[in-house]
Amino acid sequence: MKQIISLIATSVFFLDCIHAQEASDSSRMSIGSHTILATGQVPFWLEMNRLGRVDDQSPVQQVFLFNWQGADKSNGGKLSFDYGVSVAGRLSDRSKIYAEQYWGKIGLGKFYFLAGAKAEPFRANGLSHTNGDLFLSNNARPNPRGELGVENFNPFKGGWISRFSLDGKYAEYLLLDHRFVHHANLHHKRAVINYKINEELTFHAGLDHWVIWGGTSPNSAIGKMPGFKYYLRYIFGRGGGEESPETDQDNIAGDQLGQNLFELDLRKPDYEAKVYYQHMFEDGSGFLFHNMQDGFWGLSIERLEKKSLIQQVIIEFVNTTNQSGAYHQYAPDPSKPDSLIGEGRDNYFNHGVYQSGFVSYNRMMGSPLFIPTIQDGISIGFESTRLRALHGGIGGYLSDQIFWSGKGTYSRHYGTYEAPYPRFRDLYSLEGNLHVQTRKTPVSYGFKIAADFGRYLENSLGCEFSFLYKFK
């Protein structure tokens, strides 16, 4: 009880100090605080999609945030500069303070270059279970990267071909977190073709590709792996060379995974609807849709022109149970050992060499439904990669200043093909949220309540009190 009172008192004192500050000319600076109280383990939706700020094991904790962003334009607006820094601090059983984001972006027309650690744009009012992308959400703290990209590029000015445009990015990440393979790198490229069917309807199709490559394994049989020498093998999904681990020589170099992207957008004057499907793959069988059942489906409908009691509704479904089948290189006839079948057991987001899996700072980089196992302070991969989940979110306005939302997720976890659970484990995760923007001050307040039930995580109940001050 003393710890709870101390945290709340700290929060109130912090708010008083903020009100005492003189407003600056910048409208892009903010400072905030989150007080989290839980009956045990922090509930799923008070922890996830928070850039790794929340300590899942501390039932009482205080999170402080400072954020500053700026933007400039020159050369008649053709050249733009964006930059930002954010610092996060936490008082808990595992207190820490660190630079969460630090980045700069240069834009020239439709093209841009970004350097540094930057979170993803906040989408769908936080109602999506993974910010609209199965592989890249704001569940984990960002690692620094260099990224070259293009947005809505269309050099054609007339005729049917002018209906097409291109979005794309090419990035290399430095993985600075502690992980099983030291000094590994992360490659990412993405290309999306947009086709404007008419003034209201647009179709998007693309390819998203990720590779963890290079680094040094603590396994003496593997040791230091080739880096830039095999860079083209990594980014084009080719097999490993003679200096690669045996598994890379037998398959493809590095830990490769990706997704096919499809989306249909309908935009009316008063509302917008999106239907999206993302199909995942980890090897050739998945790329050829042998795991057709697996993927991420979603529907989002949002009212545009005015605030209403129900502003947005989202429904999402995830299935990763197929994984191209239960067998990989299996001989069904013992008398014919060379007659092998099977391309399955993809075991998404796990890898035999890069054993920490698809994580950043011990958090899944995409959907938070995949929870890594932490051992001696580092991720050793995902205990369960086969799951089904149904998620729903709804939000709106009680008034111009009061936003409310609720979301719920039901997930069923099966483990992996190699280590299945004796019985599936269900999880029900719920959250209610209320956000109030004051009329006369640049302060907003928030209250959340969340709960978990089931056999996958500990049953828990928690709440959060927060405030945010935006300097004028």
Side-chain angles (χ1 to χ4, degrees):
M1 178 61 70
K2 290 182 178 179
Q3 189 177 10
I4 294 174
I5 294 173
S6 176
L7 287 179
I8 294 176
T10 301
S11 178
V12 173
F13 174 76
F14 190 53
L15 180 58
D16 288 340
C17 291
I18 290 172
H19 278 296
Q21 301 295 318
E22 292 293 331
S24 69
D25 292 335
S26 173
S27 61
R28 298 176 66 89
M29 183 185 298
S30 65
I31 192 166
S33 175
H34 303 260
T35 303
I36 298 173
L37 311 173
T39 57
Q41 179 175 315
V42 177
F44 187 87
W45 282 126
L46 291 186
E47 174 194 353
M48 303 301 184
N49 290 348
R50 308 290 292 274
L51 294 174
R53 297 166 181 163
V54 178
D55 180 355
D56 64 331
Q57 298 300 315
S58 298
V60 180
Q61 56 188 289
Q62 184 79 45
V63 177
F64 297 105
L65 301 170
F66 168 81
N67 183 67
W68 174 74
Q69 294 185 32
D72 297 292
K73 290 187 177 182
S74 62
N75 194 23
K78 294 181 180 179
L79 188 63
S80 64
F81 303 90
D82 298 89
Y83 39 88
V85 174
S86 67
V87 177
R90 183 178 67 229
L91 295 175
S92 72
D93 294 339
R94 294 179 288 186
S95 298
K96 64 187 302 184
I97 185 169
Y98 57 94
E100 180 181 81
Q101 300 181 65
Y102 42 94
W103 57 274
K105 179 180 178 182
I106 300 174
L108 180 60
K110 302 292 186 179
F111 295 86
Y112 70 86
F113 176 74
L114 184 148
K118 187 180 185 301
E120 296 305 301
F122 185 70
R123 298 185 177 95
N125 291 310
L127 297 179
S128 169
H129 95 277
T130 184
N131 204 36
D133 191 328
L134 187 63
F135 280 19
L136 186 62
S137 67
N138 282 322
N139 190 51
R141 175 181 164 188
N143 272 290
R145 68 189 187 269
E147 177 178 305
L148 182 65
V150 61
E151 298 173 325
N152 196 30
F153 178 66
N154 181 3
F156 306 104
K157 302 304 180 183
W160 65 270
I161 199 169
S162 65
R163 294 174 177 265
F164 288 92
S165 63
L166 174 69
D167 295 322
K169 63 175 66 175
Y170 189 100
E172 289 293 339
Y173 290 72
L174 295 176
L175 300 182
L176 301 183
D177 54 344
H178 298 294
R179 48 203 308 128
F180 186 80
V181 173
H182 305 291
H183 309 300
N185 304 285
L186 178 64
H187 166 76
H188 179 214
K189 56 180 172 288
R190 181 185 184 105
V192 177
I193 296 175
N194 315 298
Y195 178 68
K196 191 171 184 179
I197 300 172
N198 54 44
E199 291 301 316
E200 298 179 338
L201 199 60
T202 305
F203 177 70
H204 313 268
L207 184 66
D208 194 42
H209 182 221
W210 296 84
V211 189
I212 302 176
W213 59 278
T216 302
S217 172
N219 184 342
S220 58
I222 297 175
K224 184 175 177 58
M225 287 171 283
F228 279 105
K229 180 178 180 179
Y230 286 173
Y231 184 69
L232 294 181
R233 291 180 182 268
Y234 293 124
I235 67 172
F236 288 114
R238 295 173 55 196
E242 58 183 13
E243 298 179 24
S244 301
E246 184 177 347
T247 182
D248 281 16
Q249 295 182 43
D250 294 340
N251 297 285
I252 52 180
D255 181 7
Q256 308 239 359
L257 65 160
Q259 53 183 343
N260 301 294
L261 309 169
F262 305 95
E263 182 175 314
L264 186 64
D265 292 347
L266 174 64
R267 189 176 183 90
K268 294 283 189 177
D270 56 345
Y271 75 91
E272 182 177 38
K274 298 176 182 288
V275 180
Y276 43 96
Y277 166 52
Q278 298 169 13
H279 167 257
M280 59 198 305
F281 60 86
E282 283 224 3
D283 55 23
S285 61
F287 187 74
L288 296 175
F289 286 83
H290 291 185
N291 61 341
M292 184 69 180
Q293 302 94 318
D294 291 345
F296 171 43
W297 293 259
L299 169 65
S300 171
I301 301 174
E302 180 179 10
R303 191 167 185 172
L304 298 176
E305 284 199 328
K306 63 180 182 178
K307 296 178 179 179
S308 60
L309 182 62
I310 298 178
Q311 192 76 15
Q312 187 168 16
V313 177
I314 280 182
I315 299 175
E316 296 176 333
F317 176 71
V318 179
N319 179 41
T320 63
T321 59
N322 180 264
Q323 303 198 8
S324 299
Y327 300 103
H328 183 71
Q329 296 298 290
Y330 168 69
D333 185 351
S335 65
K336 300 177 180 178
D338 294 332
S339 299
L340 302 177
I341 64 171
E343 297 178 302
R345 297 200 172 205
D346 291 336
N347 201 6
Y348 304 136
F349 308 120
N350 280 330
H351 194 265
V353 175
Y354 297 93
Q355 293 184 26
S356 288
F358 196 63
V359 299
S360 172
Y361 292 94
N362 290 337
R363 302 274 181 161
M364 168 59 172
M365 284 188 276
S367 169
L369 295 172
F370 299 89
I371 301 176
T373 299
I374 309 302
Q375 183 175 298
D376 297 328
I378 66 170
S379 168
I380 56 170
F382 301 92
E383 181 181 270
S384 178
T385 62
R386 300 182 64 239
L387 62 86
R388 291 189 181 96
L390 180 64
H391 171 85
I394 185 170
Y397 291 87
L398 300 177
S399 69
D400 287 344
Q401 286 75 43
I402 303 176
F403 176 81
W404 73 274
S405 68
K407 58 187 177 185
T409 309
Y410 166 67
S411 56
R412 175 167 288 184
H413 303 256
Y414 298 89
T416 64
Y417 278 122
E418 289 77 10
Y421 292 148
R423 183 174 181 270
F424 57 77
R425 301 177 185 178
D426 289 343
L427 176 64
Y428 302 84
S429 298
L430 305 173
E431 182 206 80
N433 172 52
L434 199 64
H435 183 268
V436 181
Q437 176 64 59
T438 58
R439 287 181 180 272
K440 297 182 179 180
T441 68
V443 177
S444 59
Y445 299 90
F447 173 75
K448 292 182 180 181
I449 185 168
D452 292 341
F453 307 95
R455 299 177 61 250
Y456 186 60
L457 296 178
E458 173 187 319
N459 290 349
S460 62
L461 177 67
C463 63
E464 175 183 314
F465 305 88
S466 64
F467 67 83
L468 180 70
Y469 185 98
K470 294 183 178 180
F471 291 88
K472 291 184 178 180

